[in-house]
Amino acid sequence: MRCARLFLALVLAASLPFNTIARTAPGFVAPFAKSQMVAAANPLAADAGLEMLRAGGSAVDAAIAVQMVLGLVEPESSGIGGGAFMLLFDPKTKKTTSFDGREVAPASARPDMFLGSGGKPRTKMEAIPGGLSVGIPGVVAMLEMAHRKYGKLPWARLFQPAIKLADNGFPVGPKLARTIKGFTRGANMPDIKARFYHPDGTPLAQGEIYRNAEYADSLRKIARGGARAFYTGEIAQAIVDKVHNAPVNQGGMTLEDLANFTPLEREPVCGPYRAWRLCSMGPPSSGGIAIVQILGMLQRFPASQLQPGTLSEVHLRAQASRLAYADRAKFVGDPAFVKVPVKGLLDKDYIAGRAALIDPAKDMGTAAAGNPPEKHAALSPQRSPVLHGTSHMTIVDKTGQVIAMTTSVESVFGAEVMVKGFFLNNTLTDFSLDPVLDGLPVANAPAPGKRPLSAMSPTIVFDPNGDFLLSVGSPGGPAIIGYVAQTVVAMLDGGLPPGEAIALPRQLNLNSPTRLERSPTNDALEPQLKAMGHTVTVVTGEGSGLHGIRKVKGGYIGGADPRRDGVVIGD
Ligand code: GLU
């Protein structure tokens, strides 16, 4: 079955003409490229990436060009005012590394910063808009760090496509138009009102031309002056002014906070799945640990029980997810502040012990966190918020360098305030708004200089020889972990090409009711899952935005999530 599907995908791919073939309708079965590929959330952004690859750029160069365009055409999801994680496979050393451009809390942050009167946490909705939720943006410094090590083209060259588009304008895409229209909550925030609504109050519609000269100007400065031009000087001053004078929830970020921002290169988190090996992002993301745990538990079951969309697959994945999400909520935070028992959580025997808690016939209900075999503090699990505004791209260049990068302003339109043509993130609301729960500290409590916990999971899978096999990631807040785990299992055990795996109806369990995305497959599963003890919530349209690439004989096939505007292109 697995081979047949892949074979079919390849036959279809090979029957398409070259160079143009990889442009695809989202979800199309198998765009194919021989030597290089870009999968990203917007066609204009993907074009900029491919332009860099064609000019001899590396995957990192292409990622920078893609990011700069995304900040213009998909500003609700990511941009230079936000943060990101980039996973990178270096074909020369056959090593995987990761870059951490997660936002950092300013020196003025306090554990109780999101508590309201009476010491109760404010709702996330109340805490998001304005200046208080803004973390020190990390994208620009992280990309510069990656470029110094892995870039080939001059830094300034990578900004050209975005500058041109920002000056000349581009037709608003379906997702941006949909987002503006649906974003009634922030419609009165002055920056959003001024930029995305007409004077008569009607929202900018799909196809209308949108220009952003201020953004072009910011990009010119960064192109010329490097990250320094973002973290000091005019742009930094504008960020500080905006945070201090936000229409609501003013914050205390300073010029010093910005000037001190330092991105990090980190060891990724890796683990086995059957004969494969996968790497993903480690703390301060919970994504890598949770995905390695979920797959580590599932490998106890034969692939025949993990065929995409079958009752056994959905049930088993829900159980493994419950256990992983329980550990995530309790143990993971910024490793500079809490001793995260990474080794213990990834310990083979520990994971096998957790897998033994799975009953193949019955839902276990709310899972409790385990007791990993490594020293850890007594902590209370945090409560997970929802809502998301994030983007994922994955790129492979001619040399075989692969990047998987998840990038975010956190919620839709971030903190809903703009500076010099870009949105500021609200990533500090990714902290547990409660610093203490049930008398115990929470690993992910706010603190000055701390990075909030993330679920972003840029993931790369290797074949049994250690060669690149596939790369994937998604937006979706805490649900990212579930989206990525489902897609990886569907590609590995189900043998589905990326486009099909990505388009599958979602089933998730975040250690709460089992969440089914409305679809005929899930309508059929619902009563069967209920009969196994699952409480089920049905949602219309999950917020995944997966982009993936898979190595196949003679090249690559890719997939883009039909839930967003993404494409896969290549040569
Ligand atoms: N800020 C979230 C995180 O880092 C991601 C939000 C989203 O995916 O929309 O986990």
Side-chain angles (χ1 to χ4, degrees):
M1 147 99 167
R2 181 191 309 174
C3 293
R5 299 220 79 134
L6 266 180
F7 179 72
L8 178 68
L10 285 173
V11 170
L12 270 170
S15 66
L16 295 162
F18 251 98
N19 268 340
T20 50
I21 49 154
R23 178 171 294 288
T24 167
F28 177 69
V29 66
F32 173 83
K34 243 179 160 171
S35 61
Q36 52 193 11
M37 190 172 249
V38 180
N42 180 283
L44 297 167
D47 281 346
L50 189 58
E51 185 184 326
M52 296 306 133
L53 294 181
R54 287 178 176 165
S58 65
V60 166
D61 290 327
I64 297 169
V66 170
Q67 175 66 82
M68 296 309 145
V69 176
L70 284 177
L72 174 73
V73 300
E74 202 199 26
E76 72 277 23
S77 296
S78 78
I80 58 177
F85 295 120
M86 180 196 274
L87 206 71
L88 179 142
F89 172 67
D90 180 352
K92 284 197 209 113
T93 57
K94 278 199 158 194
K95 289 226 164 79
T96 308
T97 187
S98 64
F99 293 98
D100 174 348
R102 184 68 165 167
E103 297 90 333
V104 169
S108 52
R110 294 288 171 266
D112 61 358
M113 65 192 285
F114 294 118
L115 298 182
S117 54
K120 286 244 170 330
R122 287 191 282 163
T123 62
K124 184 163 174 179
M125 287 298 196
E126 285 167 353
I128 286 172
L132 192 65
S133 66
V134 180
I136 305 156
V139 164
V140 176
M142 183 200 83
L143 291 175
E144 187 181 69
M145 185 185 208
H147 182 257
R148 282 206 176 118
K149 226 169 149 175
Y150 293 101
K152 283 190 184 159
L153 296 175
W155 172 255
R157 168 78 179 91
L158 312 174
F159 291 73
Q160 283 171 3
I163 292 172
K164 198 164 141 200
L165 273 173
D167 276 335
N168 296 345
F170 67 94
V172 169
K175 175 166 173 281
L176 176 56
R178 223 171 38 236
T179 307
I180 303 168
K181 197 165 169 212
F183 198 66
T184 43
R185 149 172 87 88
N188 280 325
M189 288 295 277
D191 294 338
I192 296 184
K193 207 169 171 175
R195 307 303 300 245
F196 298 101
Y197 288 82
H198 296 292
D200 69 358
T202 53
L204 216 59
Q206 184 179 337
E208 284 192 72
I209 299 300
Y210 178 71
R211 287 184 188 81
N212 190 342
E214 272 188 295
Y215 183 62
D217 192 51
S218 296
L219 293 188
R220 272 188 204 99
K221 289 194 170 77
I222 302 166
R224 259 197 318 267
R228 235 185 100 73
F230 181 87
Y231 291 93
T232 61
E234 213 183 297
I235 298 180
Q237 186 65 56
I239 294 175
V240 167
D241 291 347
K242 180 61 82 166
V243 165
H244 286 236
N245 303 310
V248 288
N249 296 332
Q250 294 78 19
M253 190 182 292
T254 62
L255 284 175
E256 223 188 336
D257 286 323
L258 282 152
N260 286 341
F261 181 85
T262 321
L264 297 168
E265 186 170 357
R266 294 183 186 273
E267 276 289 309
V269 157
C270 300
Y273 185 55
R274 309 192 197 284
W276 299 284
R277 183 164 178 275
L278 63 134
C279 292
S280 188
M281 195 66 211
S285 181
S286 56
I289 294 174
I291 285 171
V292 172
Q293 283 192 336
I294 292 171
L295 295 179
M297 290 183 249
L298 290 180
Q299 66 185 353
R300 177 191 143 200
F301 302 93
S304 59
Q305 288 179 23
L306 288 165
Q307 292 307 303
T310 57
L311 182 62
S312 56
E313 187 262 340
V314 172
H315 170 73
L316 294 172
R317 192 159 46 74
Q319 303 309 292
S321 298
R322 279 191 178 283
L323 293 158
Y325 273 100
D327 278 357
R328 164 194 197 264
K330 181 159 173 176
F331 296 116
V332 193
D334 182 344
F337 286 74
V338 275
K339 164 93 188 73
V340 185
V342 180
K343 277 209 182 75
L345 290 166
L346 299 179
D347 181 82
K348 211 169 110 259
D349 296 332
Y350 173 68
I351 293 179
R354 298 286 278 167
L357 301 174
I358 298 176
D359 179 341
K362 197 170 174 303
D363 180 45
M364 67 174 68
T366 305
N371 187 16
E374 187 181 351
K375 198 166 177 296
H376 52 268
L379 297 162
S380 250
Q382 72 161 2
R383 300 195 178 111
S384 260
V386 269
L387 269 187
H388 30 81
T390 300
S391 204
H392 180 83
M393 68 178 88
T394 182
I395 300 172
V396 55
D397 71 19
K398 274 196 181 103
T399 70
Q401 183 184 100
V402 184
I403 68 96
M405 173 168 151
T406 313
T407 174
S408 182
V409 289
E410 210 311 271
S411 282
V412 179
F413 293 121
E416 303 165 22
V417 289
M418 283 181 98
V419 171
K420 293 194 169 289
F422 59 89
F423 277 98
L424 293 179
N425 69 84
N426 66 298
T427 297
L428 302 190
T429 58
D430 269 353
F431 281 126
S432 167
L433 305 190
D434 287 289
V436 176
L437 275 165
D438 304 324
L440 287 175
V442 176
N444 184 32
K450 189 172 177 182
R451 291 166 156 84
L453 178 68
S454 171
M456 297 195 286
S457 314
T459 298
I460 299 181
V461 182
F462 301 93
D463 69 15
N465 298 323
D467 291 321
F468 168 71
L469 178 65
L470 60 92
S471 166
V472 72
S474 183
I480 290 172
I481 294 165
Y483 297 151
V484 172
Q486 175 185 16
T487 307
V488 170
V489 171
M491 285 196 269
L492 294 181
D493 284 336
L496 295 186
E500 274 189 53
I502 284 169
L504 284 172
R506 308 264 88 95
Q507 309 92 10
L508 298 170
N509 192 303
L510 278 59
N511 204 16
S512 46
T514 298
R515 214 160 91 188
L516 301 180
E517 182 176 32
R518 187 167 292 294
S519 61
T521 311
N522 286 341
D523 289 348
L525 283 170
E526 188 182 345
Q528 302 178 64
L529 287 164
K530 282 184 173 159
M532 294 170 82
H534 288 249
T535 311
V536 170
T537 314
V538 177
V539 300
T540 308
E542 279 283 355
S544 65
L546 293 139
H547 295 103
I549 292 179
R550 178 179 183 135
K551 174 105 184 83
V552 291
K553 197 156 181 279
Y556 302 94
I557 53 175
D561 202 317
R563 297 161 187 85
R564 299 211 170 188
D565 298 351
V567 291
V568 183
I569 57 174
D571 296 315

